């Protein structure tokens, strides 16, 4: 019992420290910079490094839990992009194979591979974003500028997983009564599905009315909104982190404007050798993407030496 309690306390301490314990503004700047760099850089070396580091970041944040849920979708989407683009697009000059009278070109294959890496990196970043920036942090950041927009956006972000959870609960209850959308004839499945949907909509609308009544009873929108601020920005800590991330991000943008980090695929694939500037940009992107690992590593060392 004592060991179980200590493990729970340790988990709580880890959640409230490290990268998750930083100010929400720092986390938002990190994810924004990473998303911009992933969408602008199309060199496979840069994207492979980003994917690899983001996989480690997701493992660090939730130990494979959410990453495994998304991994099948990520691999299925990436494989579909490669197959469709490779066999349907014939634009290019380098022929690899001829299958059934259709030429398989190198340029569409490489383009689809880079697109797959980019989508994988974005999805991995999105999974890490959901593990770090919850609705409370999101509302805290944007409520000062866009109060209603931030509130309704937070409700919309919460709506889909809430409906999914309620649908599972409804399905479990109805399965006891012998109703299921996975067994029986097509007509029986359709009737069960319509019943599930009816219960789900009724439940959601009733909950929405209760939420609206509660907001009205608390005087929402009738006066100045008071805010509870559980986050304190520490300039000596978070300020240095933001300055470092923005500086490295600026170096990456300047390098991109100078023509580095981009791979020309069409009309003919040509990959120039990596230069010292490319190596510098690759180092900067690696440091930016690995910032959560650096923060967590520092906290782990501090935890180790303070035990």
């Amino acid at each position: 019992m004592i060991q179980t309690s200590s493990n729970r306390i340790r988990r709580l301490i880890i959640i409230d420290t490290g990268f998750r314990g930083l100010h929400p503004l720092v986390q938002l700047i990190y994810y924004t910079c990473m998303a911009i760099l992933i969408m602008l850089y199309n060199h496979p070396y840069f994207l492979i490094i980003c994917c690899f580091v983001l996989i480690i970041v997701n493992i660090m944040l939730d130990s494979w839990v959410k990453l495994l849920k998304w991994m099948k979708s990520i691999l299925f989407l990436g494989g579909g992009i490669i197959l469709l683009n490779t066999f349907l697009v014939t634009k290019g000059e380098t022929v690899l194979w001829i299958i059934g009278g259709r030429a398989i070109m190198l340029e569409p294959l490489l383009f689809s591979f880079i697109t797959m890496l980019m989508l994988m990196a974005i999805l991995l970043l999105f999974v890490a974003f959901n593990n770090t920036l919850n609705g409370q942090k999101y509302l805290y950041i944007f409520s000062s500028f866009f109060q209603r927009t931030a509130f309704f956006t937070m409700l919309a972000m919460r709506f889909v997983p809430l409906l999914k959870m309620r649908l599972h609960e409804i399905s479990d209850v109805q399965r006891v009564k012998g109703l299921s959308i996975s067994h029986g004839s097509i007509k029986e499945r359709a009737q069960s599905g319509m019943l599930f949907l009816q219960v789900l909509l009724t439940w959601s609308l009733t909950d929405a009315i209760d939420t609206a009544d509660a907001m009205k009873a608390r005087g929402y929108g009738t006066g100045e909104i008071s805010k509870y601020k559980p986050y304190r920005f520490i300039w000596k800590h978070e300020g240095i982190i933001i300055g470092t991330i923005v500086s490295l991000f600026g170096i990456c943008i300047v390098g991109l404007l100078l023509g580095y980090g981009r791979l020309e695929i069409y009309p003919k694939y040509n990959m120039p050798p990596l230069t010292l500037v490319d190596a510098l940009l690759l180092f900067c992107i690696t440091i930016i993407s690995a910032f959560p690992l650096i923060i967590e590593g520092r906290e782990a060392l501090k935890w180790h030496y303070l035990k």
Side-chain angles (χ1 to χ4, degrees):
M1 179 67 70
I2 296 176
Q3 185 178 4
T4 303
S5 301
S6 62
N7 290 334
R8 291 178 179 176
I9 293 174
R10 181 178 174 85
R11 284 198 299 268
L12 289 174
I13 293 175
I14 293 175
I15 290 175
D16 293 333
T17 58
F19 185 70
R20 289 182 177 179
L22 294 177
H23 194 274
L25 182 61
V26 180
Q27 299 170 355
L28 180 64
I29 290 176
Y30 165 77
Y31 288 116
T32 303
C33 292
M34 280 299 301
I36 293 174
L37 292 178
I38 290 172
M39 289 185 290
L40 292 181
Y41 278 81
N42 73 337
H43 200 289
Y45 291 160
F46 292 84
L47 294 175
I48 289 174
I49 290 294
C50 289
C51 290
F52 179 74
V53 175
L54 288 174
I55 288 175
I56 301 177
V57 169
N58 279 282
I59 295 174
M60 175 203 68
L61 290 176
D62 67 348
S63 300
W64 289 101
V65 176
K66 290 186 178 179
L67 183 60
L68 288 178
K69 293 180 179 178
W70 283 88
M71 188 56 67
K72 292 182 179 180
S73 300
I74 292 174
L75 294 177
F76 178 78
L77 181 61
I81 290 174
I82 290 179
L83 291 176
L84 291 177
N85 195 71
T86 301
F87 285 96
L88 296 181
V89 179
T90 58
K91 183 180 179 181
E93 296 184 2
T94 307
V95 180
L96 293 178
W97 308 285
I98 297 178
I99 301 177
R102 175 176 289 273
I104 305 299
M105 314 298 292
L106 174 63
E107 287 78 11
L109 178 62
L110 183 61
F111 180 80
S112 58
F113 178 70
I114 291 175
T115 304
M116 180 197 70
L117 288 177
M118 190 177 298
L119 289 176
M120 287 181 62
I122 290 293
L123 289 175
L124 290 170
L125 188 69
F126 177 74
V127 174
F129 178 88
N130 285 335
N131 286 326
T132 308
L133 276 174
N134 53 28
Q136 180 182 358
K137 293 180 179 180
Y138 179 87
L139 188 62
Y140 169 78
I141 295 173
F142 293 101
S143 60
S144 300
F145 309 100
F146 311 103
Q147 296 177 354
R148 295 182 181 272
T149 304
F151 178 72
F152 286 113
T153 304
M154 188 189 68
L155 288 180
M157 293 172 61
R158 175 179 173 268
F159 194 65
V160 175
L162 181 63
L163 286 181
K164 184 178 179 181
M165 181 185 65
R166 287 176 176 174
L167 186 60
H168 282 299
E169 295 180 6
I170 294 171
S171 179
D172 292 338
V173 173
Q174 297 296 330
R175 192 179 296 113
V176 178
K177 299 166 59 177
L179 299 176
S180 175
I181 58 174
S182 58
H183 300 286
S185 62
I186 298 179
K187 181 179 179 180
E188 292 174 347
R189 293 182 185 183
Q191 290 177 347
S192 300
M194 293 300 295
L195 178 61
F196 291 2
L197 184 61
Q198 179 183 358
V199 176
L200 178 63
L201 292 178
T202 304
W203 187 0
S204 300
L205 290 175
T206 304
D207 185 69
I209 293 174
D210 293 338
T211 302
D213 291 339
M215 292 172 60
K216 183 178 180 180
R218 288 170 173 80
Y220 179 81
T222 58
E224 184 179 357
I225 299 178
S226 60
K227 295 192 301 182
Y228 169 64
K229 296 184 178 182
Y231 309 105
R232 188 165 65 93
F233 190 87
I234 303 175
W235 281 101
K236 292 182 179 180
H237 181 50
E238 278 93 354
I240 295 175
I241 295 176
I242 289 179
T244 305
I245 294 177
V246 172
S247 300
L248 294 175
F249 176 76
I251 294 175
C252 295
I253 295 299
V254 172
L256 185 69
L257 294 176
L258 293 176
Y260 297 95
R262 299 286 299 177
L263 183 64
E264 296 296 333
I265 301 176
Y266 295 108
K268 186 176 182 179
Y269 158 70
N270 182 23
M271 178 181 288
L274 288 177
T275 63
L276 291 177
V277 179
D278 291 320
L280 175 62
L281 296 176
L282 187 61
F283 174 77
C284 292
I285 289 181
T286 304
I287 295 298
I288 294 176
S289 58
F291 241 97
L293 302 179
I294 297 173
I295 300 298
E296 291 291 337
R298 187 194 64 178
E299 293 295 329
L301 290 176
K302 187 184 296 185
W303 174 270
H304 175 74
Y305 285 109
L306 290 178
K307 285 193 299 182

